[in-house]
């Protein structure tokens, strides 16, 4: 047996924190760390496996022989096995071979804390470091100015495996190629943030990254960890924030993953009613186990600390919150109060958010939560879950349902649009048109629009104009910004060739200008989560399918007037009430010819009449283009 030298990076205080579920930097202790001990270079290994009888490290450095390098278990009942193996270098591959106390079960597992993994379908962990010299100091010092809740927050959601591929052989781009092409494109189109669908290592491409095994390792599909750092660094240098999808809701049962790790239900809840997800056929974390909480919160902070992420979008929060989520009667048990809420999850999410916001300035957490669970984006100090924002799934569903209807029927369904304003300020809502809306037979966003080709694209421009003028932050899935015709295909590139056609190029130009409008006009972001930032002019003109409203900033001079015409009929001399006298100027029109529209517009500065209308003392007659959003400013 080769020598394993007794050594530990853990202090007694570390162990106490770990057992209490309060150690938020576990990645500095557990895992594989390149160190020098008594002048000898090698690797310190540490793994949590409390049900193990023995643990050995197997790898290419010992020809994968079991028992060659056996770790020692700590004396303090922490369940941590550790030791220093000399003369192992960066790039070596390894796993842990665990002989369990449980009926002689043997597992061979990848390192839960590995910084790098072999590219699937290979499953070993790779010895690596996180050395990198960041060049985004300017961004990091001022990112509160980009990430605050009163700032423009327009998100471009990206699946790296299918944003763009090499045309000749459908090969993935690398992180370094994305650092040139993606950064340039996002800067050109004006999005403030990029959201990456999960980039943590995952074994199965059709999961889109939502079934993780390497929680601390960016996927090796696109390059090395430092290459991903370059991508984040370049985005920051271009003034673009980075949001990472984070999946604490479930994990797959792959043989080398977290499931049944040491021959016991270590990471997953031992009760099948709480530890198995029927929809995704995956395992659910045991949120009531302190060591698991330390693992998950350490993981969240790891990406914020070591990869300079600006926000975490937490996936599938609804599935975590409810004991009966996707379960029939008899498949779940109520909590101690008789309710269906998962009290361990609620406690965990509050602790996670408190840890994030207390350890990092200028960051956000965003919940993908599809139910009416209260106070998701309210501080824990007032009883909320503590997220910064929450996806507005109701707005997404109702809006897309409305827009797919032929315009002749829209007058009967205007409540589908106006209903969102009855609850839009109950949370800090982000308006998402995400990847989930362009797969599984739902059609692309453009493909849902009714009418002939001209009307389809006019409707699409109207939808985006309405989205960007509605209160809340914005999220748009890749390809939607140029009117991708087909559903998203994760196995190939977006249909970039469509940009040679004027209608598609027009949509891209529209999105670019909407991003510019959102950033330039304070009324669209300063009070985007406050009822003080919105006021209806008229929401009841169902017959004409027209809505008008005011968006407000901190200063009255910044107020914007927004008018939406949801039919293809041009509304001549359409009168709306206004809050004050002055001149009205059109500053945005989704029907502009440059976008592929008909070019009907309101020219020059229009005089406001001292004629009462819509319950106001002043009013004006406008020309409303077909299927359009027009935005005006009073001077």
């Amino acid at each position: 047996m080769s020598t394993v030298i007794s050594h530990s990076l853990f202090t007694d205080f570390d162990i106490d924190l770990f057992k209490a579920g309060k150690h938020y930097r576990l990645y500095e202790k557990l895992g594989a760390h390149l160190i020098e001990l008594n002048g000898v270079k090698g690797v310190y290994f540490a793994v949590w496996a409390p049900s193990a009888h023995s643990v050995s490290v197997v790898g290419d450095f010992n020809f994968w022989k079991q028992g060659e390098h056996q770790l020692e278990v700590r004396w303090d009942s922490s369940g941590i096995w550790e030791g220093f193996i000399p003369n192992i270098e960066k790039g070596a591959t390894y796993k842990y071979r665990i002989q369990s106390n449980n009926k002689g079960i043997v597992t061979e597992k990848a390192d839960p804390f590995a910084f790098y993994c072999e590219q699937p379908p290979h499953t070993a962990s790779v010895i690596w470091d996180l050395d990198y010299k960041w060049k985004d100091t300017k961004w990091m010092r001022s990112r509160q100015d980009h990430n605050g809740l009163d700032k423009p927050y327009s998100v471009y959601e990206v699946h790296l495996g299918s944003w763009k591929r090499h045309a000749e052989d459908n090969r993935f781009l690398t992180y370094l190629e994305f650092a040139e092409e993606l950064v340039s494109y996002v800067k050109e189109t004006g999005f403030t943030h990029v959201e990456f669908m999960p980039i943590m290592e995952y074994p199965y491409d059709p999961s889109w990254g939502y079934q993780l095994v390497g929680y601390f390792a960016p996927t090796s599909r696109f390059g090395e960890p430092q290459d991903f750092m370059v991508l984040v660094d370049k985005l920051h240098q271009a003034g673009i924030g980075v949001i990472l999808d984070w999946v604490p809701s479930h994990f797959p049962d792959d043989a080398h993953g977290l499931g049944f790790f040491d021959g016991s239900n270590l990471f997953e809840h031992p009760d099948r009613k709480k530890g198995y997800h029927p929809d995704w056929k995956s395992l659910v974390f045991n949120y009531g186990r302190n060591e698991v909480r330390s693992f998950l919160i350490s993981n969240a902070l790891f990406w914020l600390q070591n990869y300079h992420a600006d926000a975490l979008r937490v996936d599938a929060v609804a599935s975590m919150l409810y004991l009966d989520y996707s379960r029939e009667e008899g498949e779940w048990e109520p909590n101690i109060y008789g309710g269906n809420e998962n009290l361990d999850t609620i406690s965990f999410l509050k602790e996670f958010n408190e840890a994030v916001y207390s350890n990092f300035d200028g960051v956000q957490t965003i919940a993908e939560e599809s139910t009416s669970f209260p106070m998701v984006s309210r501080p824990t100090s007032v009883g909320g879950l503590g997220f910064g924002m929450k996806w507005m799934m109701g707005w997404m569903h109702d809006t897309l349902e409305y827009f797919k209807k032929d315009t002749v029927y829209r007058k009967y369904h205007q409540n589908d649009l106006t209903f969102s304003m009855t609850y839009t300020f109950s949370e800090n809502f982000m308006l998402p048109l995400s990847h989930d809306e362009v797969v599984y037979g739902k059609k692309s966003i453009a493909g849902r629009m009714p009418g002939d080709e001209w009307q389809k694209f006019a409707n699409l421009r109207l939808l985006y104009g309405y989205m960007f003028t509605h209160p809340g932050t914005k999220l748009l899935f890749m390809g939607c910004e140029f009117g991708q015709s087909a559903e998203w295909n994760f196995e190939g590139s977006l249909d970039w060739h469509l940009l040679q056609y004027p209608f598609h190029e027009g949509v891209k130009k529209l999105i670019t200008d909407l991003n510019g409008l959102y950033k330039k006009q304070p009324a669209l972001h300063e009070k985007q989560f406050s009822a003080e930032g919105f006021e209806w002019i008229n929401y009841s003109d169902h017959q004409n399918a027209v809505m008008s409203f005011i968006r407000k900033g901190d200063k009255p001079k910044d107020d914007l007037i927004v008018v939406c015409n949801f039919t293809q009929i041009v509304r001549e001399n359409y009168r709306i009430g206004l809050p004050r006298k002055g001149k009205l100027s059109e500053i945005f029109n989704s029907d502009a010819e440059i976008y592929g529209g008909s070019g009907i517009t309101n020219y020059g500065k229009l005089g406001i009449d001292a004629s009462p209308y819509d319950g106001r003392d002043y009013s004006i007659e406008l020309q409303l283009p077909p299927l359009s959003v027009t935005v005006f400013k009073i001077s």
Side-chain angles (χ1 to χ4, degrees), residues 461-475:
R461 296 191 301 269
L462 168 58
L463 167 61
Y464 292 155
Y466 167 65
M467 175 185 183
F468 272 78
T469 53
H470 189 288
T473 53
K474 329 296 175 187
L475 178 138

Side-chain angles (χ1 to χ4, degrees), residues 47-49 96 98 107 109-110 112 257-264 266-267:
V47 61
W48 179 50
Y96 297 114
I98 302 171
T107 62
K109 296 292 187 177
L258 298 178
F260 211 55
F261 188 81
D262 60 354
S264 72
L266 188 62
F267 289 93

Side-chain angles (χ1 to χ4, degrees), residues 254-279:
D254 292 60
H256 66 292
L258 298 178
F260 211 55
F261 188 81
D262 60 354
S264 72
N265 301 119
L266 188 62
F267 289 93
E268 67 271 24
H269 199 287
D271 183 348
R272 189 83 168 171
K273 292 180 178 180
K274 295 181 180 179
Y276 181 75
H277 199 296
D279 283 354

Side-chain angles (χ1 to χ4, degrees), residues 297-554:
I297 295 175
S298 290
N299 184 242
L301 271 56
F302 170 81
W303 294 99
L304 297 167
Q305 177 69 41
N306 292 281
Y307 286 88
H308 289 199
D310 303 292
L312 297 173
R313 177 267 195 187
V314 183
D315 183 62
V317 172
S319 75
M320 301 169 65
L321 287 172
Y322 295 100
L323 296 166
D324 60 346
Y325 187 90
S326 288
R327 298 180 189 275
E328 303 296 331
E329 188 174 348
E331 295 178 345
W332 66 282
E333 295 176 355
N335 62 37
I336 57 173
Y337 303 109
N340 65 344
E341 301 87 0
N342 189 325
L343 302 180
D344 286 338
T345 292
I346 293 169
S347 170
F348 161 71
L349 289 174
K350 288 181 178 182
E351 185 178 350
F352 150 71
N353 280 309
E354 289 169 353
V356 168
Y357 285 107
S358 63
N359 280 278
F360 297 93
D361 294 326
V363 300
Q364 296 290 349
T365 61
I366 306 164
E368 188 225 356
E369 205 286 312
S370 55
T371 75
S372 57
F373 193 94
M375 302 179 69
V376 171
S377 58
R378 295 293 179 257
T380 59
S381 59
V382 298
L385 290 183
F387 285 93
M389 287 179 254
K390 169 182 171 174
W391 276 21
M392 197 176 188
M393 310 296 277
W395 172 89
M396 176 272 298
H397 177 268
D398 291 345
T399 300
L400 291 179
E401 277 295 308
Y402 179 88
F403 268 87
K404 76 179 185 182
K405 290 179 171 64
D406 190 283
T407 55
V408 71
Y409 301 115
R410 288 181 176 175
K411 62 184 177 182
Y412 304 113
H413 298 277
Q414 193 145 316
N415 285 343
D416 287 351
L417 294 184
T418 58
F419 179 67
S420 66
M421 292 311 305
T422 66
Y423 65 94
T424 194
F425 300 114
S426 64
E427 300 275 5
N428 297 336
F429 278 121
M430 173 177 282
L431 312 183
L433 292 176
S434 73
H435 65 275
D436 280 326
E437 304 315 309
V438 293
V439 290
Y440 299 145
K442 294 180 181 178
K443 299 182 180 179
S444 66
I445 301 297
R448 299 186 193 196
M449 301 296 109
D452 59 24
E453 185 182 36
W454 190 92
Q455 291 178 3
K456 282 181 181 291
F457 279 92
N459 268 301
L460 187 63
R461 296 191 301 269
L462 168 58
L463 167 61
Y464 292 155
Y466 167 65
M467 175 185 183
F468 272 78
T469 53
H470 189 288
T473 53
K474 329 296 175 187
L475 178 138
L476 200 62
F477 183 57
M478 63 182 198
C480 295
E481 81 283 1
F482 61 79
Q484 169 106 359
S485 303
E487 282 192 345
W488 170 47
N489 172 20
F490 73 91
E491 295 180 303
S493 174
L494 295 179
D495 293 334
W496 293 104
H497 65 277
L498 293 175
L499 283 169
Q500 66 185 300
Y501 302 110
F503 278 135
H504 293 276
E505 176 62 32
V507 173
K508 179 188 168 191
K509 175 62 176 170
L510 174 103
I511 290 295
T512 301
D513 288 352
L514 282 171
N515 277 324
L517 187 76
Y518 183 33
K519 288 186 279 191
K520 183 178 179 181
Q521 298 298 330
L524 293 180
H525 58 259
E526 285 182 342
K527 295 182 177 181
Q528 58 192 339
F529 299 127
S530 169
E532 296 177 355
F534 180 89
E535 186 177 323
W536 283 114
I537 295 175
N538 190 333
Y539 60 84
S540 60
D541 189 2
H542 301 260
Q543 196 62 36
N544 290 313
V546 173
M547 292 190 330
S548 52
F549 52 87
I550 305 172
R551 290 297 308 277
K552 300 178 177 182
D554 292 334

Side-chain angles (χ1 to χ4, degrees), residues 197-342:
M197 292 169 64
I199 53 85
M200 300 81 177
E201 194 61 80
Y202 55 98
Y204 187 51
D205 282 356
S207 78
W208 310 335
Y210 290 99
Q211 298 268 10
L212 305 183
V213 291
Y215 270 77
F216 291 82
T219 178
S220 54
R221 287 167 174 81
F222 315 114
E224 299 175 353
Q226 280 78 2
D227 296 339
F228 181 61
M229 292 177 184
V230 171
L231 173 55
V232 175
D233 207 349
K234 292 283 189 180
L235 283 163
H236 282 171
Q237 291 174 53
I240 300 162
V242 175
I243 305 169
L244 300 183
D245 270 17
W246 186 55
V247 191
S249 48
H250 64 116
F251 57 93
D253 61 359
D254 292 60
H256 66 292
L258 298 178
F260 211 55
F261 188 81
D262 60 354
S264 72
N265 301 119
L266 188 62
F267 289 93
E268 67 271 24
H269 199 287
D271 183 348
R272 189 83 168 171
K273 292 180 178 180
K274 295 181 180 179
Y276 181 75
H277 199 296
D279 283 354
W280 302 314
K281 296 179 173 55
S282 54
L283 303 175
V284 179
F285 285 104
N286 184 355
Y287 304 108
R289 187 165 191 170
N290 286 340
E291 295 91 341
V292 173
R293 292 165 79 109
S294 280
F295 170 81
L296 287 171
I297 295 175
S298 290
N299 184 242
L301 271 56
F302 170 81
W303 294 99
L304 297 167
Q305 177 69 41
N306 292 281
Y307 286 88
H308 289 199
D310 303 292
L312 297 173
R313 177 267 195 187
V314 183
D315 183 62
V317 172
S319 75
M320 301 169 65
L321 287 172
Y322 295 100
L323 296 166
D324 60 346
Y325 187 90
S326 288
R327 298 180 189 275
E328 303 296 331
E329 188 174 348
E331 295 178 345
W332 66 282
E333 295 176 355
N335 62 37
I336 57 173
Y337 303 109
N340 65 344
E341 301 87 0
N342 189 325

Side-chain angles (χ1 to χ4, degrees), residues 143-164:
R143 66 176 173 181
Q144 180 62 52
D145 296 333
H146 302 275
N147 292 333
L149 295 177
D150 60 347
K151 306 299 181 184
Y153 211 95
S154 177
V155 180
Y156 186 56
E157 186 189 26
V158 173
H159 177 260
L160 283 177
S162 56
W163 182 73
K164 184 181 287 186

